[in-house]
Amino acid sequence: MSKPSTRVRLGDAAFALFDERGYEQTTIDDIAERAGVGRTTFFRNYRSKEEVIFPDHDRLLALIRDRLATSNHSTALIAVSDAVRLVLLHYIDEGDIARRRYALTSKVPALRDREIASVARYQRLFREFIADWMGDPTESASLRAELMAASVAAAHNHVLRRWLRGESADPVTEVDDAMREVLRLFPAPAERHDSPDGGATIVAFKTSVDLDTLLPSLKRLLEDGSAR
């Protein structure tokens, strides 16, 4: 059986000490000593005591960017769902460490605030990607991208918390179902099919309103649509 890496040993030592003494009462020197390494070795692996607790968000965000970058306009929402699943799978792979982190952040306000800030980084990444996919610079589109990104983050976190509390036997299926619910709330923007020669647009429908009354309203509607 291979020996755990120094980084893993430090993480195990930190969580064991947090359980025994409490987060605030545990020092970096305590963690290094429990792991059987020096203070310098600790800082080669982690920049702070807080960093021992949280996953490598920079690496996870890079994985998400890579997945989103492989998509095109028609597969963008599939890429968003895949990216959400990547994050969930990372936590599942962590197993007991993820659950111990959840218990710890629930009790320590400073850690909870840091976790909230981390979630905001993921939400911002999704918002920027979705806004670019929508290709609409208007304020209403910006708000829609913000709402959609918030819904993506909320769906992931809802399923993750259920799994962390032991309430979900199949979190991957749950997160896929949750993402389908999110995407149903935000249908893809309609593709534009502008006539290259500026030809006429034909509209056919049935109405009881006489044509002379209707034509001015139709003209305004078409002008508004072409101005977008």
Side-chain angles (χ1 to χ4, degrees), residues 86-97:
L86 278 174
V87 179
L88 180 69
L89 287 172
H90 174 85
Y91 282 93
I92 292 172
D93 287 344
E94 286 187 319
D96 187 55
I97 287 292

Side-chain angles (χ1 to χ4, degrees), residues 31-132:
I31 297 170
E33 181 180 359
R34 176 67 65 92
V37 301
R39 183 181 177 88
T40 301
T41 300
F42 176 94
F43 284 110
R44 277 202 295 265
N45 288 272
Y46 297 102
R47 289 172 293 185
S48 66
K49 182 172 70 171
E50 292 81 3
E51 194 174 281
V52 181
I53 300 167
F54 294 101
D56 188 348
H57 287 301
D58 289 339
R59 186 176 70 83
L60 278 172
L61 286 163
L63 287 174
I64 290 175
R65 288 190 189 94
D66 289 345
R67 176 62 188 93
L68 296 178
T70 64
S71 67
N72 55 39
H73 190 274
S74 62
T75 63
L77 296 183
I78 295 173
V80 170
S81 293
D82 285 350
V84 169
R85 194 184 306 114
L86 278 174
V87 179
L88 180 69
L89 287 172
H90 174 85
Y91 282 93
I92 292 172
D93 287 344
E94 286 187 319
D96 187 55
I97 287 292
R99 291 191 170 96
R100 293 167 77 180
R101 180 192 303 118
Y102 177 66
L104 188 61
T105 55
S106 298
K107 293 184 292 188
V108 182
L111 297 179
R112 187 163 57 248
D113 290 345
R114 176 162 176 161
E115 185 72 2
I116 292 169
S118 297
V119 171
R121 295 177 66 192
Y122 290 90
Q123 187 169 320
R124 181 167 61 250
L125 177 58
F126 283 120
R127 184 196 68 222
E128 291 170 352
F129 174 78
I130 291 166
D132 183 64

Side-chain angles (χ1 to χ4, degrees), residues 137-203:
T138 63
E139 180 58 31
S140 61
S142 176
L143 174 60
R144 188 167 179 263
E146 189 79 62
L147 292 171
M148 188 171 180
S151 298
V152 167
H156 170 269
N157 292 340
H158 174 79
V159 175
L160 175 61
R161 284 192 293 269
R162 278 179 45 76
W163 175 75
L164 290 169
R165 294 191 297 260
E167 298 169 359
S168 173
D170 189 359
V172 176
T173 297
E174 280 196 25
V175 85
D176 288 343
D177 290 343
M179 285 304 301
R180 279 191 287 273
E181 289 295 324
V182 169
L183 299 183
R184 271 198 286 267
L185 296 173
F186 301 94
E191 296 281 359
R192 292 186 61 180
H193 298 287
D194 297 331
S195 173
D197 59 359
T201 299
I202 299 175
V203 181

